[in-house]
Amino acid sequence: DQQVKQNSPSLSVQEGRISILNCDYTNSMFDYFLWYKKYPAEGPTFLISISSIKDKNEDGRFTVFLNKSAKHLSLHIVPSQPGDSAVYFCAGMNYGGSQGNLIFGKGTKLSVKP
Amino acid sequence: GAGVSQSPSNKVTEKGKDVELRCDPISGHTALYWYRQSLGQGLEFLIYFQGNSAPDKSGLPSDRFSAERTGGSVSTLTIQRTQQEDSAVYLCASSSGNYNEQFFGPGTRLTVL
């Protein structure tokens, strides 16, 4: 049973345009969502997060939107840059239950073409 | 500053052998997590240590997997009688508290022949 789903394994975007990465979840107990970015041969690095009581969080070129009723979140990157090319993982966390371990999706590989 | 380190970076072993994977967390971080990423899959939670509390082993896939954390710092993940399906990248992460940002190491790529 996949609690966090990233249905697009890959996405290709032109430099300067917007990248939109999508994530769906089934566990209504999640109260925090995070996006991690992973380059080859490196561990994931934290990118941006959002609390379940918010619907938007913005940090520079990165914005995460949360639609709780649809159990859907998305990461927007604008403008996209070639250095953004990486695998992006969406993760959910249940403060009350899991002691902080993250439940990850399978990731979306973003390619930003110059 | 020093981040999370893991060793070895790559490990090739024969089916049935035991392996040990090591994680050195960021100094002072009380929480330590092990995850693994199998081919085409997301990161799967394995085990969690927090201070001197009993570890949360709920993610370990079988009793062939075990982990310990000595002195609240270095952790070792042991896989006994390895199987081909154990082939994956094993990632360690640490954080300064239960729900704080997790910092990941580069991982150990395990290949079981």
Side-chain angles (χ1 to χ4, degrees), chain B residues 5 13 17 27 31 48 52-53 57 63 66 79 84 87 95 99 102 104:
Chain B
S5 61
T13 190
K17 302 272 190 180
S27 177
Y48 158 74
N52 295 321
S53 303
K57 305 179 182 180
D63 59 8
S66 63
I79 309 173
Q84 288 183 330
S87 297
S95 73
Y99 306 112
Q102 295 181 26
F104 283 82

Side-chain angles (χ1 to χ4, degrees), chain B residues 57-80:
Chain B
K57 305 179 182 180
S58 60
L60 295 179
S62 80
D63 59 8
R64 295 185 297 104
F65 287 72
S66 63
E68 62 178 23
R69 189 178 184 193
T70 52
S73 180
V74 172
S75 177
T76 303
L77 177 70
T78 301
I79 309 173
Q80 295 178 308

Side-chain angles (χ1 to χ4, degrees), chain A residues 17 28 89 97 107:
Chain A
R17 307 293 278 260
S28 57
F89 291 97

Side-chain angles (χ1 to χ4, degrees), chain B residues 10-24:
Chain B
N10 279 285
K11 176 72 177 177
V12 179
T13 190
E14 293 179 347
K15 178 181 171 182
K17 302 272 190 180
D18 298 351
V19 295
E20 283 189 353
L21 312 179
R22 177 186 167 110
C23 171
D24 284 83

Side-chain angles (χ1 to χ4, degrees), chain A residues 1-6 23-27 29-30 32-36 73 89-95 97-107, chain B residues 33 35 42-46 56 58-59 102 104:
Chain A
D1 173 37
Q2 250 192 298
Q3 298 184 51
V4 178
K5 299 177 185 178
Q6 294 178 256
C23 178
D24 297 291
Y25 63 95
T26 58
N27 188 342
M29 300 299 289
F30 286 146
Y32 214 62
F33 300 91
L34 304 90
W35 284 93
Y36 276 78
L73 62 156
F89 291 97
C90 171
M93 179 193 290
N94 171 12
Y95 271 12
S98 62
Q99 301 200 67
N101 62 282
L102 301 169
I103 308 297
F104 285 89
K106 292 185 178 183
Chain B
Y33 304 82
Y35 295 86
L43 282 75
E44 172 191 6
F45 165 73
L46 297 177
D56 175 359
S58 60
Q102 295 181 26
F104 283 82

Side-chain angles (χ1 to χ4, degrees), chain A:
Chain A
D1 173 37
Q2 250 192 298
Q3 298 184 51
V4 178
K5 299 177 185 178
Q6 294 178 256
N7 292 319
S8 297
S10 63
L11 174 67
S12 183
V13 171
Q14 205 66 32
E15 180 179 8
R17 307 293 278 260
I18 186 171
S19 295
I20 300 177
L21 297 103
N22 293 303
C23 178
D24 297 291
Y25 63 95
T26 58
N27 188 342
S28 57
M29 300 299 289
F30 286 146
D31 39 31
Y32 214 62
F33 300 91
L34 304 90
W35 284 93
Y36 276 78
K37 175 180 177 180
K38 185 179 184 302
Y39 292 117
E42 295 183 11
T45 55
F46 170 75
L47 188 59
I48 192 170
S49 63
I50 188 167
S51 164
S52 61
I53 63 172
K54 307 265 188 182
D55 55 17
K56 177 182 176 181
N57 187 27
E58 190 172 354
D59 183 3
R61 298 186 296 113
F62 303 90
T63 303
V64 56
F65 295 92
L66 175 62
N67 182 335
K68 277 192 74 174
S69 61
K71 291 192 173 71
H72 176 83
L73 62 156
S74 61
L75 173 67
H76 293 212
I77 307 173
V78 57
S80 302
Q81 299 173 353
D84 296 330
S85 298
V87 178
Y88 290 78
F89 291 97
C90 171
M93 179 193 290
N94 171 12
Y95 271 12
S98 62
Q99 301 200 67
N101 62 282
L102 301 169
I103 308 297
F104 285 89
K106 292 185 178 183
T108 296
K109 183 176 182 180
L110 174 66
S111 300
V112 180
K113 303 196 180 302

